[in-house]
Amino acid sequence: MNLPRRRFDTLVIGAGGGGLRAALQLAEAEANVAVVSKVFPIRSHTVAAQGGMNAALANVSPDSWHWHMYDTVKGSDYLGDQDAIEYMCRAAAHLVIDLEHAGVPFSRLENGKIYQRAFGGQSQNFGGEQAARTCAAADRTGHAILHSLYQQNIKSKTHFFDEFFALDLIKDAEGYILGAVVLEIETGQPWIIEAKCTLLATGGAGRLFRTNTNARINTGDGMAMALRAGIPLQDMEFVQFHPTGIAGKGMLITEGVRGEGGYLVNCEGERFMERYAPHVKDLASRDVVSRAIYTEVKEGRGCGPDGDYVLLKLEHLGANIIKERLPGIRQTVLTFLHFDPIEQPIPVYPTCHYVMGGIPTNRFGQVVAPYNEGAEEAIPGLYAVGECACVSVHGANRLGGNSLLDIVVFGRAAGNHIIEHLEAHRYHRALASESVEQALERLARWERPGDGESVEELRADLQKFMEQNCGVFRNEAVLEEAVHKVTEIEERLQYVRLKDQSKIFNTARLDALELENLVGLAQAVVRCALARQESRGAHYRVDYPERDDIRWLKHSLYFQGQGHVEYKPVRLKPLTVDTFPPKERVY
């Protein structure tokens, strides 16, 4: 096995906000840390996050971390783990100030404090008046955070492997994760990167669906690597559809538009959210607004020649507000719809946005799974943060403004825990050659000659089936059909061939490897969705329209290979405060 090899204390796979925040914590502690990214780091999907990051700073309205915690537990439809949610909400204010000191140019109030806007699902005093909790840098908050974290990592001498694709984790016979086999995209050369700890921060898998807000790179690579390493995925049936994607195209129109005063209307000019969420109207949580839009269209009150979208009105905000606080949204509409949202409403429809499930972790970022004695045993040497992970602060439905918070809070927490781990584990373990060979075999599979189906054709079929059979509304018949179709696609995958076998910057090979990852994740989503016979958060079953806490207040765990689903309890006990017991979730 004559491959280039490098050794580091820690390998971080993924250069979005979670990966860079963890890497910065490690680099500042003088650990030898490498970041592998399949794109140049500042092109990671965090750059697309628009609206902001939640923290109870109370700069605009009275607020407290305990109210934030209540909103997050309620938003999760009580599936979130309350110890992790308390940890996140308590840390939020400190982490925002930390980012400000790292150079993030947050928008300002006239008194000089950080600007905060209202987002869906936020309240004062445990369900009272609307709160304004989301700290924003205009509508380019993720962009500002990602660039600042990257610059701080450069300053702290983090080592970057830009445009390297992670193929698979290296795992020895005792279950330790020893690094990863990666592919240098420019040359087609596989490398071995050994590490005492490996952290997965590879983002989401929105590319499972045809219409989505995600970057082309969001193909669930880290989740799929974990599955192939024998680690189950948690709560994969919970896929969030953002209510305001540009109709027919999918690009995100931030919830911040409604936070600034924008609202939705149907073809009759009616503000229909008053019927679905009479208290908070357009600022209900995303699952509620998505189902409302879908219902309006289905019942014949959609707009446009085909009646297949609703309108998001923001002209009344005035040109100054739109130019100052929503410049990115205005530019997106000008670019893709060729009109100015200062003058016309935006056609919108729900679009796939975020995967609440992922690699199960505890609040220290350690990957946990049931193996011998407990439901949550730590996988030695493996951590995960960000959208690829499921620390379960989002439960069945994520609140807007909590994803940027998630990545910086748990990126930092994982970094701190890894520092302790490195102090106790000073030497690299022996490389597991068999695991490396398995990764190389997977790569070599795409060098088989002959004719066959194309990657593009199979990917299009997969995305179409997922959209048709596993969308905002689900039932047993369409989910059973989805399982059948995804299994059929999995079988067809072995007959796909690449026409281009070249080594140099062969993006066709990357597309094929990403498709393999997506197919594995599609199985997880549809099988978990079929198994969960209730409606909770983003998972709405027409045939089981009620939430069933007696049977289903539990996390699902999907295992590849066997294809079966197991369950584990939700952690209802917070760290220091009383539990928020499940109750009816209304807005």
Side-chain angles (χ1 to χ4, degrees):
M1 196 163 38
N2 188 23
L3 298 180
R5 288 169 65 167
R6 295 289 301 273
R7 274 187 167 185
F8 294 88
D9 290 333
T10 302
L11 168 62
V12 176
I13 302 176
L20 291 188
R21 187 62 188 82
L24 180 60
Q25 199 72 9
L26 290 159
E28 288 181 340
E30 299 187 350
N32 186 19
V33 56
V35 175
V36 165
S37 174
K38 67 177 176 180
V39 295
F40 192 72
I42 54 174
R43 297 183 68 189
S44 301
H45 187 60
T46 299
V47 82
Q50 297 171 350
M53 171 177 166
N54 291 339
L57 298 181
N59 288 351
V60 172
S61 62
D63 210 350
S64 87
W65 67 263
H66 204 185
W67 300 349
H68 182 189
M69 179 185 171
Y70 167 81
D71 291 337
T72 304
V73 172
K74 177 184 174 183
S76 78
D77 222 348
Y78 299 91
L79 196 76
D81 287 342
Q82 296 193 23
D83 58 342
I85 293 174
E86 179 183 339
Y87 181 85
M88 180 180 76
C89 296
R90 291 183 75 124
H94 171 71
L95 268 292
V96 166
I97 302 304
D98 199 41
L99 287 173
E100 182 188 37
H101 292 174
V104 176
F106 286 109
S107 299
R108 297 285 164 176
L109 297 166
E110 288 186 1
N111 62 12
K113 292 184 177 180
I114 291 173
Y115 169 68
Q116 294 183 280
R117 58 166 55 114
F119 252 52
Q122 297 177 347
S123 72
Q124 301 176 42
N125 200 20
F126 309 109
E129 294 302 308
Q130 175 71 44
R133 185 176 294 143
T134 306
C135 307
D139 59 357
R140 296 173 177 134
T141 316
H143 180 111
I145 291 174
L146 189 68
H147 278 246
S148 296
L149 289 175
Y150 180 61
Q151 290 162 1
Q152 293 296 330
N153 269 281
I154 293 294
K155 176 185 172 185
S156 300
K157 303 191 185 310
T158 298
H159 187 101
F160 282 92
F161 289 89
D162 299 335
E163 298 184 331
F164 278 68
F165 183 86
L167 290 170
D168 266 316
L169 296 169
I170 302 171
K171 180 180 177 182
D172 69 13
E174 296 178 53
Y176 283 77
I177 303 300
L178 311 175
V181 179
V182 303
L183 181 71
E184 184 177 11
I185 297 172
E186 182 181 0
T187 63
Q189 171 67 54
W191 289 52
I192 296 171
I193 299 184
E194 295 180 75
K196 301 169 192 169
C197 281
T198 301
L199 183 143
L200 295 169
T202 54
R207 284 283 156 176
L208 277 169
F209 293 81
R210 182 170 53 183
T211 306
N212 62 78
T213 63
N214 282 207
R216 196 175 186 281
I217 56 176
N218 282 16
T219 51
D221 304 333
M223 298 183 205
M225 280 194 286
L227 273 178
R228 287 193 293 272
I231 298 164
L233 295 184
Q234 180 173 316
D235 294 341
M236 290 299 287
E237 63 270 43
F238 298 105
V239 178
Q240 182 170 79
F241 286 78
H242 195 291
T244 56
I246 292 180
K249 299 179 185 295
M251 286 79 81
L252 177 65
I253 301 296
T254 175
E255 195 169 320
V257 171
R258 283 172 285 140
E260 296 291 347
Y263 59 86
L264 298 161
V265 297
N266 59 23
C267 68
E268 298 166 359
E270 178 198 13
R271 289 189 65 174
F272 57 86
M273 282 310 301
E274 294 180 355
R275 282 189 280 115
Y276 299 92
H279 181 55
V280 298
K281 304 180 180 67
D282 298 84
L283 286 177
S285 66
R286 291 174 175 176
D287 57 327
V288 174
V289 182
S290 291
R291 285 195 291 275
I293 294 173
Y294 185 96
T295 302
E296 289 296 303
V297 168
K298 184 181 178 185
E299 294 182 354
R301 294 186 292 276
C303 304
D306 298 320
D308 55 357
Y309 56 80
V310 298
L311 293 173
L312 176 59
K313 291 180 69 66
L314 63 159
E315 316 95 277
H316 59 285
L317 299 179
N320 288 341
I321 292 287
I322 293 173
K323 288 179 180 177
E324 180 185 340
R325 295 180 186 167
L326 304 167
I329 289 302
R330 181 175 181 237
Q331 191 58 54
T332 298
V333 175
L334 286 168
T335 301
F336 293 102
L337 295 179
H338 310 298
F339 66 78
D340 194 334
I342 291 174
E343 299 168 352
Q344 293 183 48
I346 307 169
V348 294
Y349 194 72
T351 176
C352 176
H353 184 57
Y354 190 89
V355 179
M356 269 74 73
I359 305 162
T361 71
N362 58 26
R363 68 177 186 277
F364 309 111
Q366 289 178 291
V367 176
V368 294
Y371 277 110
N372 297 315
E373 298 175 355
E376 297 192 332
E377 296 177 54
I379 307 295
L382 186 61
Y383 292 74
V385 297
E387 192 174 345
C388 76
C390 183
V391 63
S392 200
V393 288
H394 308 306
N397 171 69
R398 176 176 69 80
L399 293 184
N402 270 355
S403 64
L404 287 177
L405 178 59
D406 170 3
I407 61 179
V408 297
V409 167
F410 294 106
R412 173 177 172 273
N416 284 334
H417 200 275
I418 290 172
I419 290 168
E420 294 177 12
H421 179 91
L422 293 175
E423 289 173 353
H425 301 79
R426 299 184 59 190
Y427 303 103
H428 290 81
R429 294 171 65 89
L431 188 67
S433 301
E434 185 178 335
S435 183
V436 175
E437 287 165 4
Q438 286 175 356
L440 296 178
E441 285 175 12
R442 176 168 169 253
L443 181 63
R445 168 256 181 276
W446 291 105
E447 294 176 358
R448 283 185 286 184
D451 296 324
E453 271 194 272
S454 71
V455 169
E456 294 76 15
E457 184 180 0
L458 201 60
R459 184 176 58 212
D461 281 354
L462 174 69
Q463 292 172 326
K464 183 178 71 175
F465 293 147
M466 290 298 291
E467 190 160 291
Q468 291 176 346
N469 292 57
C470 205
V472 174
F473 288 95
R474 305 163 174 181
N475 64 49
E476 184 154 336
V478 298
L479 287 172
E480 283 181 343
E481 185 183 26
V483 170
H484 171 73
K485 287 179 174 175
V486 172
T487 302
E488 193 177 82
I489 283 176
E490 195 171 45
E491 291 167 357
R492 286 165 56 191
L493 184 62
Q494 63 182 309
Y495 302 107
V496 174
R497 294 289 184 276
L498 293 182
K499 292 179 180 176
D500 181 0
Q501 298 287 347
S502 62
K503 300 289 186 187
I504 308 300
F505 225 104
N506 186 344
T507 55
R509 182 177 284 110
L510 292 188
D511 289 344
L513 293 165
E514 289 174 341
L515 176 62
E516 279 186 334
N517 291 337
L518 284 174
V519 171
L521 299 183
Q523 284 280 11
V525 173
V526 297
R527 289 182 184 275
C528 289
L530 177 61
R532 185 173 286 273
Q533 296 176 333
E534 66 158 352
S535 291
R536 185 184 298 271
H539 173 69
Y540 193 91
R541 289 282 298 262
V542 176
D543 44 352
Y544 297 96
E546 302 298 326
R547 194 180 78 198
D548 183 352
D549 289 332
I550 296 174
R551 295 178 61 218
W552 292 102
L553 186 57
K554 55 188 178 184
H555 295 297
S556 57
L557 291 173
Y558 169 79
F559 292 77
Q560 194 176 44
Q562 307 98 316
H564 72 278
V565 182
E566 295 182 4
Y567 298 93
K568 69 176 186 180
V570 176
R571 290 198 296 274
L572 296 173
K573 178 63 181 167
L575 297 172
T576 65
V577 296
D578 292 337
T579 295
F580 290 109
K583 63 180 182 179
E584 187 182 5
R585 179 168 165 258
V586 293
Y587 287 99

